[in-house]
Amino acid sequence: DVKVTQSSRYLVKRTGEKVFLECVQDMDHENMFWYRQDPGLGLRLIYFSYDVKMKEKGDIPEGYSVSREKKERFSLILESASTNQTSMYLCASRPQGYTEAFFGQGTRLTVV
Amino acid sequence: QKEVEQNSGPLSVPEGAIASLNCTYSDRGSQSFFWYRQYSGKSPELIMFIYSNGDKEDGRFTAQLNKASQYVSLLIRDSQPSDSATYLCAVSSGSARQLTFGSGTQLTVLP
């Protein structure tokens, strides 16, 4: 069975903290993605990676960075969390080609 | 900026009716088109994908693609209350075939 696992289901952090969201996939997929989802805005792409150590900005990268040191793991980093980063964060992975993306269960992050 | 537009709804249909969900996209270079269903508090799950013009059927679901009009739709026949969810249209393009999502259409099927 396909599995994309995000490290936390719920997270509460303080403004200014450095926050790490971890995502692991066990399908040997080349491509991994981080999205955030807010009411009325759908899913918006933050960053993606198509290979180890390769990363590209998505539509809303400001305030975020990512790390992909191993193929199976893709980390999203909030360098200095702010309240406007309170959101649902979804990780996804996808093999090469025209096939579906598999999503993790999501991390609901609240920044107070 | 690539855009994917959906009617935000909410859309309500009676049980047994046909639900019609629509989506337009701006990037003519888009290659594949996806419909995801998302229940409240859950992750999106794929219903169908389509990449050729025309219709594609899978059970009660039919996806329709018209690349000339940059239009994708999803028809749900014999709608059931369990179909009540938010439906997300997604379009694939770019180096990693990254998905751009619409904001979703909330569907309620009334018993």
Side-chain angles (χ1 to χ4, degrees), chain A residues 9 35 37 94 98 101 104, chain B residues 32 34 36 38 41 43 97 99:
Chain A
R9 190 79 173 94
Y35 291 88
Q37 186 173 27
R94 186 176 183 182
Y98 302 108
Chain B
S32 300
F34 300 78
Y36 281 82
Q38 186 177 28
S43 300
R97 308 288 190 258
L99 296 178

Side-chain angles (χ1 to χ4, degrees), chain A:
Chain A
D1 241 7
V2 162
K3 197 149 185 171
V4 180
T5 303
Q6 294 183 229
S7 53
S8 303
R9 190 79 173 94
Y10 300 95
L11 213 50
V12 180
K13 295 292 182 181
R14 295 197 179 278
T15 302
E17 275 194 76
K18 190 168 186 175
V19 181
F20 293 85
L21 302 182
E22 307 285 347
C23 176
V24 177
Q25 50 98 0
D26 64 357
M27 297 163 288
D28 204 37
H29 287 172
E30 291 80 9
N31 303 301
M32 296 188 75
F33 309 86
W34 274 107
Y35 291 88
R36 65 176 282 177
Q37 186 173 27
D38 302 287
L41 297 178
L43 278 77
R44 292 180 291 166
L45 182 62
I46 304 171
Y47 266 97
F48 65 95
S49 168
Y50 51 89
D51 202 350
V52 176
K53 296 190 186 295
M54 305 303 288
K55 59 187 179 185
E56 287 205 24
K57 294 179 181 179
D59 298 320
I60 51 165
E62 297 78 18
Y64 302 95
S65 62
V66 290
S67 171
R68 194 168 181 201
E69 296 296 318
K70 294 184 178 181
K71 193 174 186 180
E72 67 269 20
R73 186 181 296 271
F74 191 36
S75 303
L76 179 70
I77 303 156
L78 287 66
E79 296 289 344
S80 177
S82 63
T83 54
N84 63 13
Q85 293 178 309
T86 292
S87 187
M88 170 69 85
Y89 289 87
L90 288 159
C91 174
S93 73
R94 186 176 183 182
Q96 299 286 48
Y98 302 108
T99 56
E100 69 177 291
F102 297 89
F103 282 87
Q105 79 275 28
T107 296
R108 186 164 293 282
L109 172 67
T110 302
V111 182
V112 297

Side-chain angles (χ1 to χ4, degrees), chain B residues 1-5 24-27 91 100-102:
Chain B
Q1 182 90 358
K2 301 165 199 168
E3 291 184 354
V4 178
E5 301 284 344
T24 59
Y25 60 95
S26 63
D27 182 7
V91 172
T100 300
F101 284 83

Side-chain angles (χ1 to χ4, degrees), chain B residues 1-107:
Chain B
Q1 182 90 358
K2 301 165 199 168
E3 291 184 354
V4 178
E5 301 284 344
Q6 293 182 251
N7 294 332
S8 58
L11 173 66
S12 293
V13 299
E15 184 174 355
I18 295 176
S20 177
L21 304 162
N22 304 315
C23 174
T24 59
Y25 60 95
S26 63
D27 182 7
R28 286 195 172 272
S30 301
Q31 297 128 341
S32 300
F33 307 86
F34 300 78
W35 283 100
Y36 281 82
R37 177 176 61 200
Q38 186 177 28
Y39 292 112
S40 181
K42 301 292 186 182
S43 300
E45 53 181 348
L46 183 72
I47 302 172
M48 294 187 70
F49 68 89
I50 185 169
Y51 53 84
S52 299
N53 276 328
D55 295 359
K56 180 181 179 181
E57 189 173 315
D58 183 1
R60 296 186 295 112
F61 298 94
T62 299
Q64 299 173 316
L65 174 61
N66 183 326
K67 288 187 177 180
S69 301
Q70 297 175 248
Y71 176 86
V72 192
S73 67
L74 179 71
L75 300 177
I76 307 174
R77 290 182 299 282
D78 188 23
S79 295
Q80 301 296 310
S82 59
D83 294 327
S84 298
T86 296
Y87 289 80
L88 300 165
C89 172
V91 172
S92 169
S93 60
S95 55
R97 308 288 190 258
Q98 57 267 32
L99 296 178
T100 300
F101 284 83
S103 57
T105 298
Q106 186 178 342
L107 172 67

